[in-house]
Amino acid sequence: MSLLERLNNDMKQAMKSKEKEKLAVIRMVKASLQNEAIKLQVSELSADDELTVLSREVKQRKDSLHEFIKAGRDDLVDKLKAEIVILEEYLPKQLTEEELSEIVKQTILEVNASSKADMGKVMSAIMPKVKGKADGGLVNRLVQQHLS
């Protein structure tokens, strides 16, 4: 089942069970997917493009979450946390830090990286492997640890 079909089914279910928050998040994701399709001038997004849009939406919310926590906006913090939980249902299973660390070690060996100067080379090799399955900030931190 494609992401769009899943979203449509979940949207119908959210309407029936009167889950307003989930319904709003699903509608927003569908709009983001449609906007991306228009931007790319395609009728249907690839699974990779869908994953990119979902990851972007989660990242935007996590960034906003940090800002709202700093500003003491607890009302918005709770709302964003709930939205993130809903969005993460549609992302692939996230890698653990141990699994990610193993991928980083393998990739460093593959590209023969030896210092922090090779950071860009390692990151460009890793990110396609872990797309949607790991936070870029965590990947960056692990690469720095292993290269130092």
Side-chain angles (χ1 to χ4, degrees):
M1 179 185 317
S2 77
L3 177 62
L4 208 51
E5 290 170 349
R6 241 181 99 196
L7 286 168
N8 284 330
N9 290 340
D10 289 352
M11 188 168 81
K12 289 174 192 170
Q13 193 58 43
M15 284 179 185
K16 289 177 184 174
S17 57
K18 299 192 186 331
E19 297 173 85
K20 289 182 182 179
E21 197 168 295
K22 185 171 186 173
L23 182 60
V25 171
I26 291 171
R27 283 181 172 154
M28 180 275 316
V29 170
K30 284 186 64 180
S32 294
L33 290 168
Q34 288 173 334
N35 288 339
E36 188 72 12
I38 291 167
K39 184 177 134 192
L40 297 175
Q41 297 178 346
V42 294
S43 60
E44 199 171 304
L45 292 174
S46 68
D48 201 38
D49 290 335
E50 291 175 342
L51 189 60
T52 301
V53 172
L54 268 179
S55 298
R56 184 182 324 131
E57 293 295 328
V58 171
K59 184 181 184 320
Q60 284 175 350
R61 278 164 182 68
K62 285 183 177 178
D63 291 345
S64 297
L65 184 66
H66 294 299
E67 294 301 317
F68 290 150
I69 288 171
K70 275 194 237 174
R73 295 289 310 267
D74 295 333
D75 54 329
L76 295 173
V77 168
D78 295 336
K79 182 179 183 285
L80 276 178
K81 283 182 180 177
E83 287 182 10
I84 291 170
V85 168
I86 293 167
L87 286 172
E88 286 178 340
E89 291 176 23
Y90 300 100
L91 287 174
K93 182 182 174 289
Q94 299 293 297
L95 295 170
T96 65
E97 197 165 331
E98 294 78 33
E99 293 169 328
L100 199 51
S101 185
E102 195 56 42
I103 292 171
V104 168
K105 288 177 193 172
Q106 289 172 352
T107 306
I108 287 172
L109 291 174
E110 286 171 15
V111 298
N112 297 322
S114 56
S115 69
K116 287 200 180 208
D118 299 322
M119 178 100 176
K121 190 171 21 168
V122 175
M123 288 298 289
S124 63
I126 287 179
M127 290 315 286
K129 295 179 187 177
V130 299
K131 184 172 187 167
K133 299 178 191 171
D135 177 55
L138 177 60
V139 174
N140 189 311
R141 186 171 53 80
L142 288 172
V143 170
Q144 284 181 359
Q145 281 177 358
H146 289 291
L147 286 178
S148 58

